[in-house]
Amino acid sequence: MSGFSNGFMGIMMIMVVVVVALALSTTANGANFDQDFEVTFGDGRVRRFGRGQLLSLSLDQVSGSGFRSKKEYLFGRIDMQLKLIAGNSAGTVTAYYLSSEGPTHDEIDFEFLGNVSGQPYTLHTNVYTQGKGGREQQFHLWFDPTKNFHTYSVIWNPQLIIFLVDNTPIRVFKNHESIGVPFPKSQPMRIYSSLWNADQWATQGGLVKTDWSKAPFTAYYRNFNANPNHAAASAVFTGGAWQNQELNAWSRRRLRWVQRYFMIYNYCTDFKRFPQGVPLECKR
Ligand SMILES: *[C@@H]1O[C@H](CO)[C@@H](O)[C@H](O)[C@H]1NC(C)=O
């Protein structure tokens, strides 16, 4: 074969590879951080990779960083994959939450409290309704959240809020309006994430401080997905309309397993904190 056609074939091959790569990168999940999110603080510490499918937040001694969704959501299923700061992450907090605005805001929180190398992160959860929180539940995870991406999700409908980790429910907050507990159901929420320093309290109650010689600290995000369709939650529920859905048997079993072996704090059983009696929703 002549030099010309060899060269021509080479260029054709490269073009085929480029076209296939472009096709893959545009079809790989609809998520696009450029389109769906905006930086809230620490600009320059928020980085996007590829065509916006991967994002990282970082924290140094000057500032942390954060982003939020451009859109607001009222009910649905929200998924995000996170890979947390590896190594010594003591004193850092990676927050991932849904929140409405104003003094009577509602909020659904995941917060990952860092730790020294080899010690487990704490996953801290909370639910605010009408501006009032104080409903903390904390967990250790059954895997190392710094090695790979894992999926952290919220299913939110008018009847309940479910927190999930890799599709395992870890917490359910039911609508108890019938006994006077407000439930988030009218204020749309944005999705937020931020990485910041809280070494006064985050790690082992503030005993362990951040090792700034390891900065910048970086967490990664990908495969964001917001699905307003309740059917997206079907893997977790028994069939039927969402108004009367129950967790399916597998999900109930997983929830019990997590609560038994991985829950490290539950406000509902903190009788010292509530000497006059635990909050109403805990009694159900
Ligand atoms: C850090 O590790 C200690 C010791 O294993 C553990 O008690 C604690 O819950 C971990 N998490 C935080 C945030 O301190």
Side-chain angles (χ1 to χ4, degrees), residues 104-137:
T104 59
H105 79 292
D106 301 321
E107 192 176 314
I108 304 169
D109 287 338
F110 277 102
E111 283 185 357
F112 301 90
L113 314 182
N115 218 333
V116 290
S117 299
Q119 296 301 314
Y121 263 82
T122 292
L123 170 50
H124 175 98
T125 64
N126 205 350
V127 176
Y128 283 71
T129 60
Q130 297 292 311
K132 190 183 158 296
R135 301 191 177 96
E136 301 85 356
Q137 288 187 357

Side-chain angles (χ1 to χ4, degrees), residues 49-258:
F49 301 89
R51 306 176 129 223
Q53 303 97 327
L54 179 68
L55 178 147
S56 69
L57 290 185
S58 62
L59 163 73
D60 56 42
Q61 218 158 350
V62 177
S63 176
S65 51
F67 63 86
R68 70 172 192 186
S69 63
K70 292 179 186 166
K71 281 193 213 143
E72 293 182 311
Y73 302 86
L74 185 64
F75 307 130
R77 177 175 176 139
I78 312 287
D79 298 298
M80 183 84 86
Q81 295 192 326
L82 274 76
K83 187 164 171 268
L84 301 176
I85 300 160
N88 186 351
S89 57
T92 69
V93 177
T94 307
Y96 161 54
Y97 59 102
L98 276 71
S99 182
S100 61
E101 280 167 41
T104 59
H105 79 292
D106 301 321
E107 192 176 314
I108 304 169
D109 287 338
F110 277 102
E111 283 185 357
F112 301 90
L113 314 182
N115 218 333
V116 290
S117 299
Q119 296 301 314
Y121 263 82
T122 292
L123 170 50
H124 175 98
T125 64
N126 205 350
V127 176
Y128 283 71
T129 60
Q130 297 292 311
K132 190 183 158 296
R135 301 191 177 96
E136 301 85 356
Q137 288 187 357
Q138 295 185 335
F139 306 85
H140 283 157
L141 294 163
W142 50 97
F143 52 84
D144 178 350
T146 72
K147 282 257 152 61
N148 292 301
F149 282 91
H150 290 270
T151 307
Y152 303 93
S153 318
V154 171
I155 294 174
W156 174 31
N157 70 38
Q159 300 307 313
L160 41 76
I161 293 167
I162 310 175
F163 294 76
L164 304 107
V165 175
D166 291 334
N167 222 34
T168 287
I170 61 163
R171 174 174 188 177
V172 177
F173 182 79
K174 290 195 176 146
N175 184 328
H176 284 303
E177 283 177 311
S178 61
I179 53 167
V181 182
F183 187 83
K185 62 165 205 221
S186 52
Q187 310 189 77
M189 304 201 210
R190 281 198 166 84
I191 300 154
Y192 291 82
S193 191
S194 54
L195 175 55
W196 39 287
N197 183 255
D199 66 359
Q200 335 71 269
W201 58 266
T203 302
Q204 297 174 32
L207 286 176
V208 187
K209 302 297 174 200
T210 299
D211 177 2
W212 291 110
S213 75
K214 301 289 189 306
F217 301 99
T218 304
Y220 296 88
Y221 298 76
R222 72 176 191 197
N223 288 353
F224 161 70
N225 192 39
N227 197 328
N229 182 355
H230 302 295
S234 59
V236 176
F237 292 122
T238 57
W242 53 261
Q243 285 90 338
N244 44 34
Q245 268 172 340
E246 293 287 330
L247 288 185
N248 64 30
W250 179 84
S251 297
R252 287 200 307 273
R253 222 168 29 242
R254 295 290 287 178
L255 178 65
R256 276 200 301 273
W257 174 74
V258 172

